[in-house]
Amino acid sequence: MRPLLLPLLLLWAIGAARADDALARVKARGVLRVATDATYQPFEFVEDGEVRGFDRDIGDAIGNALGVRVRWTSMEWAGVLPAVTTDKADLVLSG
């Protein structure tokens, strides 16, 4: 068990540093970019051209807690996770 402790601690520290960097970028930008596949009512759906639903409420609450606006982008499921890895979104909330 001890031989795994140091590598695990290093991975945790790297992950925590990356999360701090991501949070700092969101706050500096003033916008939390959320990707979703808005086809799973009641979690998320499009109504009158706006993403609505339970996930929208959660995302807006996160943005409010951070003191930033929230920009929602609805896309096909296949593009949701790649949106985060290509820096087109900061967070995925979908279903």
Side-chain angles (χ1 to χ4, degrees), residues 39-83:
T39 58
Y40 298 103
Q41 195 169 1
F43 297 102
E44 65 278 322
F45 56 97
V46 176
E47 181 178 83
D48 298 327
E50 293 283 326
V51 174
R52 306 250 189 245
F54 181 72
D55 287 345
R56 170 72 188 247
D57 295 341
I58 291 172
D60 288 348
I62 293 169
N64 187 45
L66 295 175
V68 298
R69 293 179 295 117
V70 180
R71 182 174 57 213
W72 289 86
T73 304
S74 181
M75 59 187 69
E76 290 186 22
W77 175 249
V80 171
L81 293 178

Side-chain angles (χ1 to χ4, degrees), residues 14-30:
I14 291 168
R18 290 188 71 205
D20 287 344
D21 289 347
L23 181 58
R25 286 192 307 271
V26 168
K27 286 186 174 186
R29 187 184 321 114

